Amino acid sequence: MKKAIQFGAGNIGRGFIGGLLSNAGYHVVFADVNEAILNGINNEKEYKILVKDVECFEQTITNISAVSSISDDIIKEIEEAEIITTAVGPLVLKRIAPTIAKGIQARKNHENKNYLNIIACENAVGATAILKEEVVKALNEEEIAYMEEYIGFPNCSVDRIVPPCTNENPLDVTVENFYEWNVEEAKIKGEVPQIEGMNLVGDLIAYVERKLFTLNTGHAITAYLGYLAGYKTVDESIKDEKIATIVKAAMQESGQGLVKKHGLDLEAHYKYIDKILNRFKNPYLNDDVKRVGREPLRKLGAKDRLVNPLMTAKSYGIAVDNLIIGIGAALHYDNSEDAQSVELQQTIKDLGVKEAVKKVSGIEDEELLNAIEGAYQKLTSKQLA
């Protein structure tokens, strides 16, 4: 049987890409550090994906095993794999890169001339390219030459809401019905994997930014405004008309920038926005605003879901009032359990709002900085409109 390795055996790894790989006929090896999950997978050898949406149904995922991602056993698995995917979070990619490099070294040493494709399925632009850069750091020139010939590193965009839910069986995962997995076809090495649900594309950046500027932008702003207003979940937050109005307008602002940049159809994109908003309203997902809002420093980065759409739209002369409100809300995210939130709040305290935004996001435009500071101050007084 064909072998795939899924780095990250959490809810996203099991509930999205891992499930698609199993359904496509791969034996899926989940690589993680969570011993309870690893033992559960190896003992039970199956789990269920529970789709909770307008229509609810279950999928049973089989042909699976698990291995510790920090043990020597993972190297043997990499030697035998045809495809490697990740769902570890963008910040963890550099931690697994040395392990992947060791696997590539082993393949070279054993003169393995079978092709391997490695796809980082993360919420970040160019995540696979980032992973490749980290892998290269651990290889010598001959190993890099081998990698360039036999190992593909296609970028991708992924879209599925997989919230943390407590199920009777801890291996089971609750997900929404909607998903998208768009993979850069030109960078695949060897025969293209036949995986139902994997959409092969040419111009990936348009898909990446369409998702980042729509789902991720709207999701984050909903969470930050909802957290500020005292709501617990995304669906509770989006039911608030003031929040829903700001979120939709922000998504339209970012969407207008996308339309200009990539030549998209505006009407079709607005329909896509409406579809995304309906996903936020799904009460079955019980999507915690703390989960969606976590790691605010990353989300406020220049290339991420708040500042990137803002700067893109502004570059085309598009009004960005509601995206600015979203950034103002993100600056208020004060969660003592989130290290990045703690750091953000300390930075604001030490430097003030404008200098903190400069440091975190790289924004230098004085007009924008003043507007963000103004939005931040208004939100302090609980004005969400």
Side-chain angles (χ1 to χ4, degrees):
M1 182 177 288
K2 302 176 294 182
K3 179 176 288 187
I5 299 172
Q6 167 63 44
F7 275 90
N11 286 346
I12 296 173
R14 301 196 312 278
F16 188 4
I17 305 301
L20 293 182
L21 292 170
S22 173
N23 290 336
Y26 289 88
H27 175 83
V28 182
V29 180
F30 288 96
D32 207 295
V33 294
N34 187 317
E35 292 292 338
I37 291 180
L38 298 180
N39 292 335
I41 290 172
N42 284 327
N43 290 335
E44 298 190 30
K45 296 182 173 54
E46 68 176 35
Y47 64 89
K48 288 184 172 60
I49 295 177
L50 311 173
V51 179
K52 302 287 187 179
D53 217 309
V54 176
E55 180 185 358
C56 298
F57 57 94
E58 299 178 358
Q59 299 174 344
T60 300
I61 304 302
T62 57
N63 296 326
I64 60 174
S65 61
V67 65
S68 171
S69 57
I70 56 175
S71 72
D72 292 338
D73 295 337
I74 185 63
I75 307 304
K76 179 65 174 177
E77 302 292 357
I78 293 174
E79 283 194 69
E80 299 174 352
E82 294 185 19
I83 186 169
I84 295 175
T85 54
T86 78
V88 295
L91 300 179
V92 182
L93 291 175
K94 63 182 179 182
R95 297 184 202 166
I96 66 171
T99 299
I100 292 174
K102 287 180 182 178
I104 292 172
Q105 289 166 339
R107 290 173 75 102
K108 177 185 179 299
N109 292 339
H110 290 97
E111 299 182 352
N112 186 339
K113 295 185 178 181
N114 295 317
Y115 292 106
L116 167 66
N117 287 289
I118 302 173
I119 311 173
C121 305
E122 312 290 348
N123 275 327
V125 177
T128 306
I130 294 169
L131 176 59
K132 182 180 180 181
E133 286 178 9
E134 295 296 328
V135 169
V136 165
K137 292 176 183 178
L139 301 176
N140 62 33
E141 288 187 12
E142 288 186 0
E143 291 161 351
I144 291 171
Y146 169 85
M147 181 193 74
E148 294 293 354
E149 184 171 358
Y150 295 107
I151 315 295
F153 284 87
N155 283 300
C156 79
S157 68
V158 287
D159 185 359
R160 190 174 216 177
I161 298 174
V162 186
C165 289
T166 302
N167 295 304
E168 185 176 344
N169 182 341
L171 291 182
D172 294 345
V173 189
T174 299
V175 303
E176 65 170 339
N177 192 29
F178 179 95
Y179 68 84
E180 279 189 347
W181 184 25
N182 302 302
V183 177
E184 198 173 20
E185 184 172 12
K187 291 189 178 178
I188 292 175
K189 295 281 189 182
E191 186 177 345
V192 176
Q194 299 302 303
I195 302 169
E196 186 175 352
M198 182 178 75
N199 181 37
L200 301 170
V201 300
D203 181 15
L204 179 67
I205 191 63
Y207 286 90
V208 171
E209 293 194 339
R210 171 175 169 264
K211 187 255 182 173
L212 183 74
F213 286 26
T214 313
L215 174 82
N216 294 135
T217 299
H219 214 199
I221 294 175
T222 303
Y224 290 130
L225 289 171
Y227 185 80
L228 195 58
Y231 296 116
K232 299 296 184 185
T233 63
V234 168
D235 65 291
E236 286 178 350
S237 303
I238 205 68
K239 286 177 183 175
D240 185 311
E241 288 188 13
K242 287 184 178 180
I243 292 176
T245 298
I246 294 168
V247 171
K248 183 172 183 177
M251 291 164 76
Q252 289 177 338
E253 290 167 2
S254 68
Q256 289 170 40
L258 278 177
V259 167
K260 291 285 188 181
K261 182 175 181 179
H262 295 294
L264 305 179
D265 180 272
L266 181 62
E267 184 178 350
H269 188 72
Y270 275 9
K271 289 180 180 178
Y272 176 66
I273 288 172
D274 289 338
K275 181 186 292 185
I276 299 297
L277 286 167
N278 283 329
R279 291 167 66 192
F280 295 167
K281 297 173 184 176
N282 186 343
Y284 291 110
L285 298 180
N286 196 31
D287 208 359
D288 193 327
V289 295
K290 289 183 179 180
R291 183 196 77 85
V292 180
R294 68 188 173 188
E295 298 179 352
L297 292 178
R298 175 169 64 86
K299 291 180 168 67
L300 284 163
K303 294 183 179 180
D304 216 284
R305 64 206 67 194
L306 298 171
V307 175
N308 194 348
L310 174 82
M311 301 308 292
T312 300
K314 191 173 187 300
S315 72
Y316 290 105
I318 296 162
V320 290
D321 297 351
N322 294 280
L323 287 167
I324 287 171
I325 293 172
I327 291 173
L331 295 171
H332 276 290
Y333 185 62
D334 188 359
N335 179 2
S336 61
E337 298 173 353
D338 186 313
Q340 287 196 13
S341 173
V342 172
E343 184 179 343
L344 174 62
Q345 295 310 313
Q346 189 61 50
T347 303
I348 293 171
K349 183 178 179 181
D350 292 343
L351 303 179
V353 174
K354 287 170 62 174
E355 290 301 319
V357 172
K358 272 188 184 182
K359 181 179 179 180
V360 170
S361 71
I363 295 174
E364 296 284 348
D365 186 308
E366 197 67 24
E367 181 183 351
L368 271 182
L369 291 170
N370 286 332
I372 291 168
E373 184 177 42
Y376 175 87
Q377 298 297 348
K378 283 185 178 180
L379 288 167
T380 300
S381 58
K382 303 295 184 183
Q383 295 177 13
L384 291 179

